[in-house]
Amino acid sequence: MSTSAAEALSASLSSALRDLRSFSFNLNSPVAFVVPIVVILLRVAYVQAKHIHETRSAKKRNMSYTVKWGRERLHFPLPAPDAKLAEIRHEIATYTQLDPQSFKLVHAGAVMKDDNAPISAYGIKPNSSIAVVGGGDVPAAHKRHKPKEKPAERTEASTVAQIRGELDVVRRTLKPDVESFLTTLDPSSVPSSTASAPAPQPASAPVTDSNAAQLGGRNTDIELEHRRLGELLLQSLLRLDAITAEGEWEEARKERKGAVKEVQTLLDRLDGGFRARPRTAAR
């Protein structure tokens, strides 16, 4: 009988006893001699069910092991003796939200190194204690109770600064890469005054192994670079779109509109140059 079944039986028997106590009958009726026997049998069954439930609960409490994690004391059900140590590691990692490989497990003063070994090989049994070493000194429970810092109040000036900061990152990191990429595809697509390495080639020069080598040595690298730049520009557009400007913040709305237009233009140039690139059969 499972614990839940014992609990259900106990509840049913208790209810039956209450009903019988409240039952009134005629002493001259034959039922008057049967009911006391039924009551006695029900009492015996109730006591037995309660005993089974308490025995199973005590056994379950004893079939566990303790994990010492900082100041925390955690209790987990003990797996079968032939269960691998990896099972315990996974259970601890799931509860603590630690990387499974970021901490060590210590039992009886020794580090348990082989996750594929059964727990019986390490002498882990009911009421054993396992210490978690590494992976972070502060338990997640303490972190959850850490007071959250109050976010800084948003103003139009701070919003404008955020927009300009995002655009500045695009200009410093992505725009030079896009210009260089377009120059590699077709040197005539970018003015020589703004083009960076590699050195310009004749406008009719196709994308071959020689100039594709400057992006990694294969034409497939050109496709990867186009995808990389395109994704970064799209992410920048999404971040700009997420910046909200309050109703009266005209300057912030103007800044965001101009930044979105500049990044979108750069993305359009990237895609247009990639689609219009000269193509030859790869060697």
Side-chain angles (χ1 to χ4, degrees):
M1 182 184 295
S2 65
T3 302
S4 58
E7 292 174 348
L9 178 58
S10 298
S12 299
L13 291 174
S14 299
S15 176
L17 287 173
R18 287 194 299 270
D19 293 340
L20 284 172
R21 291 191 187 110
S22 62
F23 178 74
S24 60
F25 50 85
N26 188 345
L27 293 177
N28 296 324
S29 172
V31 177
F33 300 98
V34 177
V35 170
I37 297 176
V38 174
V39 171
I40 293 173
L41 293 176
L42 287 175
R43 284 183 179 275
V44 172
Y46 172 76
V47 171
Q48 289 179 342
K50 184 177 181 181
H51 175 71
I52 292 173
H53 171 64
E54 292 176 349
T55 301
R56 289 182 178 272
S57 298
K59 185 177 180 181
K60 185 176 180 181
R61 286 194 298 270
N62 292 332
M63 293 298 291
S64 64
Y65 64 96
T66 303
V67 174
K68 298 178 180 179
W69 182 41
R71 296 182 179 179
E72 297 285 329
R73 295 297 182 269
L74 312 174
H75 300 277
F76 296 96
L78 185 68
D82 59 348
K84 295 182 179 180
L85 181 65
E87 184 174 335
I88 287 181
R89 182 181 294 277
H90 174 73
E91 191 168 29
I92 294 174
T94 300
Y95 180 89
T96 61
Q97 298 298 304
L98 296 174
D99 184 343
Q101 303 306 319
S102 68
F103 58 86
K104 297 178 181 179
L105 298 176
V106 179
H107 174 60
V111 178
M112 298 181 288
K113 298 180 179 179
D114 187 2
D115 282 359
N116 292 319
I119 62 174
S120 58
Y122 293 108
I124 300 176
K125 52 190 178 182
N127 298 320
S128 290
S129 293
I130 299 175
V132 175
V133 179
D137 297 330
V138 181
H142 293 176
K143 293 182 179 179
R144 287 195 296 268
H145 292 89
K146 183 178 180 180
K148 294 183 179 180
E149 296 182 0
K150 185 178 180 180
E153 184 179 355
R154 290 182 68 246
T155 62
E156 183 175 15
S158 65
T159 302
V160 170
Q162 184 181 1
I163 296 170
R164 291 176 179 175
E166 179 66 33
L167 185 58
D168 182 62
V169 171
V170 172
R171 288 171 175 172
R172 287 187 295 103
T173 62
L174 293 181
K175 187 174 181 179
D177 287 350
V178 172
E179 303 289 4
S180 178
F181 179 76
L182 295 176
T183 303
T184 302
L185 294 179
D186 184 1
S188 64
S189 65
V190 180
S192 58
S193 59
T194 60
S196 57
Q201 298 181 4
S204 60
V207 178
T208 63
D209 288 343
S210 59
N211 53 17
Q214 301 179 56
L215 286 176
R218 299 186 307 276
N219 286 338
T220 53
D221 291 328
I222 294 178
E223 297 177 1
L224 293 176
E225 180 68 0
H226 170 255
R227 188 180 305 124
R228 181 186 75 86
L229 293 173
E231 289 178 355
L232 291 175
L233 289 171
L234 282 174
Q235 291 174 13
S236 179
L237 286 174
L238 290 174
R239 285 192 293 269
L240 288 171
D241 185 66
I243 300 175
T244 58
E246 301 298 335
E248 299 179 355
W249 293 359
E250 291 293 339
E251 183 183 1
R253 281 199 296 273
K254 183 178 179 181
E255 287 284 344
R256 188 180 65 175
K257 182 178 179 180
V260 168
K261 182 178 180 181
E262 183 172 338
V263 177
Q264 184 63 56
T265 299
L266 192 60
L267 179 60
D268 292 342
R269 287 185 57 210
L270 173 70
D271 291 338
F274 182 74
R275 287 193 299 268
R277 72 189 186 281
R279 305 189 188 192
T280 60
R283 295 180 183 177

